[in-house]
Amino acid sequence: TQRHVKSVTRPDAQTLAMATAKAPARYAVIDCEDDARWHGLAPCIVALFGRDDERWDHYRAYDDELPDVHALDGEYAGVVITGSSHSATVKGSRWVDALRSWARDALTARECGGEGRCKIIAMGFGSYICAQALGGEIGLNPRGEHIVGGTTLETTPSFRALTCFTSAIAAY
């Protein structure tokens, strides 16, 4: 019997480089802004932080779109949780409560930081949601001021001992 053997040639350098090229980094933006005046915040985040060789997935928290917590480390290099014109102090909002629950799972069900782990950054509203998810308390500014700029925070020794904090400090 005759065998049909496919001819195999050695790949040139360009073909080999393409075959062994690392997949583009993938990031997720969890958009928390549904006010039409802002057109969502994902385009702004991608314009500020994105590079041509990256993939950015857009999730709309206000439409119940959130990435699978258990797939974060395998799928994403990082997640950005945006700000919002909504208040994080609200209880009983379907999507805000779901985001808070997602953040709790994302921040506690996985080892924070570390090699190969998806990094999570939150801005404004998103950072308040993360603080609540980790047991922190937030509230309205007693002076009613909207403050833009830097603020000095005091941390407790137990917070400074957390792996998440020490790995972040070591990275910077």
Side-chain angles (χ1 to χ4, degrees), residues 49-69:
F49 299 115
R51 289 184 241 155
D52 290 338
D53 62 339
E54 298 170 341
R55 175 179 166 185
W56 287 76
D57 296 335
H58 183 191
Y59 293 89
R60 294 162 188 85
Y62 49 84
D63 281 339
D64 299 317
E65 297 176 1
L66 295 168
D68 178 2
V69 168

Side-chain angles (χ1 to χ4, degrees), residues 99-105 107-108 128-136:
L99 178 61
R100 197 177 289 115
S101 177
W102 180 91
R104 182 183 58 251
D105 292 346
L107 294 166
T108 61
Y128 304 141
I129 292 294
C130 289
Q132 289 175 320
L134 294 174

Side-chain angles (χ1 to χ4, degrees), residues 80-142:
V80 177
I81 306 172
T82 73
S84 179
S85 58
H86 294 276
S87 174
T89 61
V90 171
K91 301 283 189 214
S93 167
R94 170 194 44 77
W95 75 268
V96 174
D97 291 345
L99 178 61
R100 197 177 289 115
S101 177
W102 180 91
R104 182 183 58 251
D105 292 346
L107 294 166
T108 61
R110 311 163 35 251
E111 181 185 325
C112 205
E115 190 65 33
R117 300 290 185 187
C118 172
K119 310 302 188 271
I120 298 174
I121 184 170
M123 302 171 171
F125 170 87
S127 64
Y128 304 141
I129 292 294
C130 289
Q132 289 175 320
L134 294 174
E137 292 183 29
I138 66 165
L140 298 175
N141 183 334

